Amino acid sequence: MRAFFLAPVLAFALAAAACTPAAEAPSSEAEAPAGRLEIRDAWAAPTPGGVTVSAGYLTIVNAASEADRLVSVASPRAGRVEVHEMVMSGDVMQMRPAASLEIAAGAEVDLAPGGLHLMFYEITAPFAEGEDVPVTLTFERAGAVDVSLPVRRPATESSHGAH
Ligand SMILES: [Cu+2]
């Protein structure tokens, strides 16, 4: 339904996916001391030219002995935030809201270009490179986890693999 509206963002995500960096720039650890859950490598894409949607990425590490589940995401910078996944529809990769995201005990889930991602809608002020976008992830067990997503471009330049 939103495929047309989101086409520029999708193209951006796919372009980023084409060269997934093998080694992300190490971001600050322990951004969200949430006990059993650790959020790593969080970042959000800038929104040039009046775009009012953006994508965010992060890795959720569940160090607990029980599974947890991401139940909602919110940000004061966006009207709403959804978790999306990429799926093939015929020959076309499309995004759609993901089913409730479960993080198994001891597992980590990557939200990364080309796959799962956060989708920001109704952005009121542009995401500018260098600033941080505050996001609250709410988990079934761990509760609310606040995390800052630095706004930056995808790190595709530095570490191309076998292309
Ligand atoms: Cu999306």
Side-chain angles (χ1 to χ4, degrees), residues 84 95 117 119:
H84 280 186
M95 65 171 87
H117 55 278
M119 202 82 207

Side-chain angles (χ1 to χ4, degrees), residues 6 9-10 13 54-55 82-86 95-97 115 117-121:
L6 293 176
V9 172
L10 181 55
S54 186
E82 296 180 355
V83 178
H84 280 186
E85 61 186 354
M86 306 297 282
M95 65 171 87
R96 68 177 183 199
H117 55 278
L118 304 181
M119 202 82 207
F120 298 90
Y121 290 103

